[in-house]
Amino acid sequence: MVDGPVVAVRGEAYREVPPELARFTVTATARDRSREAVLSRLAERAAAVRVLLDAAEPAVDRRETGDLRVWPQTRRSGERVVAWHGSVATTVTVTDFTALGELMLRLADQDQVEIAGPWWSLRPDSPAHRDARHAAIADALARAREYAEALGARVTALLELADTGAAPQPMFARAAFAGGGAESGGPPELDLDPQPQAVHAAVDARFTISEPVLG
């Protein structure tokens, strides 16, 4: 049982901080009448992508290959296969943004390779989340003190503090490039502006206060 009056408040904090990660996808594609030729070309193009990513270390923080697809193209009438299509995608995470634009264009300049991204984000354990939570707690305490002072009282103790589960709001910029190989004349320069990431934290708090002076 709580003795004395209680004030309940919500504390919030909003921040815009620089991103820490940039992700983009690299998709190698192939098309041929022969399924074996499609698989062979996919393997060659995926290997070329790996070589470029290997050369970009240590700017590349992580890479994950997934979404390998091979499917037939048939005539509208019947099941006769007229061509085979294939694609393999790799998701790349980069921490060195100074090398990001050049790396994406080098990859996009490969034959039958598409690039999409980047998507900007923070690390899950980024200090920005902790800083926002600390600021939200400070905001809750400041509000409680304001209410107490308006009543001629003061905050005496914390009864409860609850995190409302506010999450960061990711922001992204999307660009797409279709590779054309050496005959394209070489890639142009690309300047990318990292987009600030919105971080929001909120807490609900209950404090006891001294007896108000209402007279």
Side-chain angles (χ1 to χ4, degrees), residues 168-181:
Q169 302 298 317
M171 302 176 68
F172 67 91
R174 180 180 175 87
F177 309 91

Side-chain angles (χ1 to χ4, degrees), residues 76-201:
R76 292 185 178 180
S77 58
E79 297 184 350
R80 181 183 176 185
V81 176
V82 295
W84 286 88
H85 299 261
S87 67
V88 58
T90 300
T91 301
V92 183
T93 302
V94 175
T95 55
D96 181 1
F97 300 159
T98 61
L100 178 59
E102 180 182 359
L103 173 59
M104 292 180 68
L105 287 178
R106 283 183 178 274
L107 290 165
D109 197 43
Q110 299 300 299
D111 187 36
Q112 297 299 310
V113 169
E114 296 180 359
I115 307 293
W119 294 270
W120 311 96
S121 65
L122 297 173
R123 296 183 183 275
D125 60 348
S126 171
H129 304 309
R130 180 192 62 218
D131 294 343
R133 289 191 293 267
H134 287 187
I137 294 172
D139 182 55
L141 181 56
R143 293 189 184 200
R145 284 173 173 164
E146 289 177 5
Y147 286 126
E149 290 172 3
L151 296 170
R154 59 184 177 83
V155 173
T156 57
L158 172 66
L159 288 179
E160 182 181 352
L161 181 67
D163 189 330
T164 62
Q169 302 298 317
M171 302 176 68
F172 67 91
R174 180 180 175 87
F177 309 91
E183 67 274 13
S184 63
E189 293 184 0
L190 176 66
D191 293 326
L192 297 174
D193 296 321
Q195 292 192 349
Q197 300 298 291
V199 181
H200 174 217

